[in-house]
Amino acid sequence: MNDESDAGYLEYVSGRIPALRRVAFLLGGDEHQADDLVQETITKLYAKWPRIAKVENLDAYVHTMLVRAFLDEKRRGWWRVSLRDVPPDRPTGPAAGAASTEERAVLRAALDRIPARQQAVLVLRFLCDRSVADVAQLLGCSEGTVKSQTSHGLNALRRILGDRVGGAL
């Protein structure tokens, strides 16, 4: 890449890191995994930058890359590997004020028990406040698939959470 292209890449990425990290954290529930997902995404973006810098909706393209990196990681199973006996303290993230620490931990544990695609759909729809059309575009599927994955994911969460739901889902 030339210096001008590098400058455009750095400007774009510098402005998007916080938003990408927030989405990655909401998807995976782990601060370190979020950093890894964002790093993987921006590395791939750098390699493709000369070809895609002028894409009409670059943010959607990059978010799609991030969600696919998350789904690929879930398929590979690296999320099962732990180097410590005790999980790290839960970070206080963007959604920290929305629920108590216990409620977030219960929701994260329940989300981890549903299939990755349903997890991605629920996080994007309800925690990232994306529309059905946006989620379909990000995942590269139809709106009907997003709706069915949402329904299946919510039903799975209801089964997992049982009485803890309290009508919220």
Side-chain angles (χ1 to χ4, degrees):
M1 260 194 263
N2 61 35
D3 288 341
E4 187 176 308
S5 184
D6 278 349
Y9 168 81
L10 289 172
E11 181 180 338
Y12 176 81
V13 168
S14 296
R16 301 310 189 281
I17 293 272
L20 290 172
R21 192 166 183 282
R22 178 178 184 272
V23 171
F25 176 77
L26 290 171
L27 285 168
D30 179 79
E31 188 173 314
H32 301 290
Q33 180 189 26
D35 290 339
D36 290 346
L37 288 171
V38 170
Q39 182 63 48
E40 182 179 341
T41 301
I42 64 174
T43 300
K44 288 179 181 177
L45 179 64
Y46 182 78
K48 297 177 181 186
W49 187 255
R51 293 187 314 270
I52 65 168
K54 306 249 189 279
V55 168
E56 186 176 317
N57 192 349
L58 187 57
D59 287 338
Y61 187 90
V62 173
H63 276 90
T64 298
M65 290 174 65
L66 179 70
V67 171
R68 287 185 179 160
F70 166 75
L71 293 173
D72 288 347
E73 184 175 300
K74 291 292 265 189
R75 269 186 234 110
R76 285 191 303 258
W78 285 108
W79 57 274
R80 294 183 188 124
V81 176
S82 179
L83 301 176
R84 36 183 133 48
D85 294 334
V86 180
D89 292 337
R90 296 278 182 201
T92 55
S100 73
T101 303
E102 179 184 345
E103 289 170 333
R104 284 193 309 275
V106 168
L107 180 59
R108 171 53 42 202
L111 281 170
D112 286 343
R113 292 179 54 194
I114 65 174
R117 194 141 175 116
Q118 291 175 13
Q119 183 179 348
V121 166
L122 292 178
V123 166
L124 291 169
R125 289 280 328 277
F126 300 111
L127 297 178
C128 295
D129 201 28
R130 298 282 187 138
S131 69
V132 171
D134 286 347
V135 174
Q137 182 183 11
L138 287 172
L139 295 176
C141 63
S142 71
E143 291 184 21
T145 299
V146 171
K147 291 176 185 178
S148 73
Q149 291 292 300
T150 300
S151 176
H152 292 304
L154 289 174
N155 285 335
L157 284 179
R158 286 182 185 108
R159 280 191 305 276
I160 292 166
L161 296 173
D163 292 337
R164 295 189 85 132
V165 175
L169 294 176

